[in-house]
Every structure is written in C-alpha cells, then in structure tokens.
Amino acid sequence: MNGDRYSEERVRELLMGALDGELTQEARAELERLLASEPLLQEEWKRLSRVKEVTESMKLRKPPEETWDGYWNSVYSRLERSIAWILVSIAAIVLISYGGWHGVQDLLADAELPWYIKGSVLAGIVGLAMLLVSVVRHRIFVSRSDPYKDIQR
C-alpha cells in the first residue's frame, strides 16, 4: 500500500465502511482508487466481502421443542431451588439465633452487664448461625458436584 498517503487505520476504516454501506461518494471513490492500485488490498476486500456474504446468508437452526421444554424445566427448577435454599437458610438462621438467644438470656438479663457486651453476644450468636448454615449448605452442594468424590487414594 501507499504508506505515505494512507495509514492502515484509514484503509480499515474505508473497508469496514464499504462493507457496512456507510461510505460517502468521496470515500467510496477513494477506496476504489486504493483497490485499483493495491493488489493485496483487492484480495483482502474479496475475503471480507465473502465473509459478509456468508454471514448474512447464515440461518440459525431452531432447536426441537423438547430442548425448549427441558430448558424451561431446568430454569424453573433452579429458580425454585434457589428460593427454597434462601428460605431454608433464613429460617435456620432465625431459629438458631432464637435458640442461642434463649440459651444466653440469663447472661443478658444481668443489669450490670454493659449494652455493648450484650450486643456482641447477640452478634456472635447470629454470626455463628449464619456461618453454620452457610457451611452446611456449601458442603451439601459440593458433595453433589465434586468430581473427585469417587477417587480413592
């Protein structure tokens, strides 16, 4: 290509603009002059034109109805399971926290104990409940999908 007059960026801009049908008449004339004077550019233009032609004529095959049925069943199942796990996790956290609260209620009923100690004990109970539920849930999910569970050492 004529490196003095045309940068690679400008040539690409002209080629892509022509492929997309967005060139002005002046730019189209500029591209045609370049194509007439550069054999390598002509080859690239032919390749790009062929790619555009092939991609425009491609059609996606529609999957069979059974595929869509399976897809939607899978989406619904995952959504249901996700909501169920959230509800179970919340219930477990609340129940464990409630049990822990009653377990240390005597400690907290002490009027001489500062409020921040009481709050810390409560935060610790809630945090432990959340951690317990999270670890149990994670172990259940990992045990189902662990690719190494059947491997013996």
Side-chain angles (χ1 to χ4, degrees), residues 93 96 124-138:
I93 290 167
I96 291 170
I125 291 169
V126 172
L128 284 172
M130 290 175 72
L131 187 60
L132 176 67
V133 169
S134 174
V135 168
V136 168
R137 192 173 63 92
H138 179 73

Side-chain angles (χ1 to χ4, degrees), residues 9-44:
E9 187 176 323
R10 176 65 180 154
V11 171
R12 291 270 176 225
E13 186 179 300
L14 289 170
L15 288 172
M16 296 303 119
L19 282 175
D20 295 336
E22 298 176 347
L23 290 183
T24 62
Q25 285 193 345
E26 296 84 23
R28 183 72 186 171
E30 181 182 356
L31 176 62
E32 288 178 10
R33 280 193 305 276
L34 277 170
L35 289 172
S37 66
E38 299 289 339
L40 290 175
L41 191 57
Q42 288 174 7
E43 288 177 32
E44 184 164 354

Side-chain angles (χ1 to χ4, degrees), residues 97-152:
S97 297
Y98 182 76
W101 170 259
H102 281 291
V104 295
Q105 194 170 21
D106 290 336
L107 175 70
L108 296 177
D110 185 2
E112 294 179 14
L113 206 57
W115 65 268
Y116 55 88
I117 298 294
K118 293 177 184 180
S120 297
V121 169
L122 181 61
I125 291 169
V126 172
L128 284 172
M130 290 175 72
L131 187 60
L132 176 67
V133 169
S134 174
V135 168
V136 168
R137 192 173 63 92
H138 179 73
R139 294 289 286 174
I140 289 170
F141 281 124
V142 168
S143 68
R144 287 185 193 159
S145 62
D146 184 12
Y148 303 109
K149 67 181 174 189
D150 295 329
I151 295 176
Q152 296 177 356

